[in-house]
Amino acid sequence: MVATLSVCISCDGGTALADAVSEFHAVNRVDCMNVCTRPACLSVRDAGKMAYLFGDVSADMAQEVRALLGLYRDAETGEIEDARSLGSLRHCLIGRVPA
């Protein structure tokens, strides 16, 4: 199964982030994710896996998002144990939701 990646395009930088990430992964462009104080934001989720929400993500971080998707794909439960390869994206985590 392929993870669902949603990007808020209402926030400043959201459309640019969605455009950058869509070069390597399908993006669900949403009008508001209610994380307006930390634009732009994105979420990653998949059936039976933990979901993640990130804020303060810019289009310049697209390759870090790509690395996130790889780690997420390989994590059976969605739990990413070592996020060091995500660079600055790992510091943008707002929260995770159990499956």
Side-chain angles (χ1 to χ4, degrees):
M1 201 164 232
V2 176
T4 299
L5 178 71
S6 298
V7 175
C8 178
I9 58 169
S10 296
C11 296
D12 290 339
T15 299
L17 173 61
D19 289 346
V21 173
S22 68
E23 293 183 17
F24 54 82
H25 192 86
V27 176
N28 181 29
R29 296 167 188 250
V30 296
D31 286 327
C32 185
M33 292 175 64
N34 206 27
V35 189
C36 304
T37 60
R38 299 199 48 198
C41 67
L42 65 84
S43 67
V44 178
R45 61 189 167 117
D46 200 352
K49 289 188 169 189
M50 185 171 296
Y52 289 86
L53 178 64
F54 294 85
D56 301 317
V57 184
S58 69
D60 295 338
M61 300 167 78
Q63 291 309 310
E64 295 169 13
V65 174
R66 182 180 225 160
L68 166 69
L69 292 168
L71 290 175
Y72 191 74
R73 178 195 64 232
D74 295 342
E76 185 176 324
T77 64
E79 185 172 357
I80 297 171
E81 295 182 21
D82 185 359
R84 289 178 289 180
S85 65
L86 301 180
S88 59
L89 181 63
R90 73 180 192 265
H91 301 295
C92 298
L93 180 65
I94 294 171
R96 58 186 189 176
V97 180

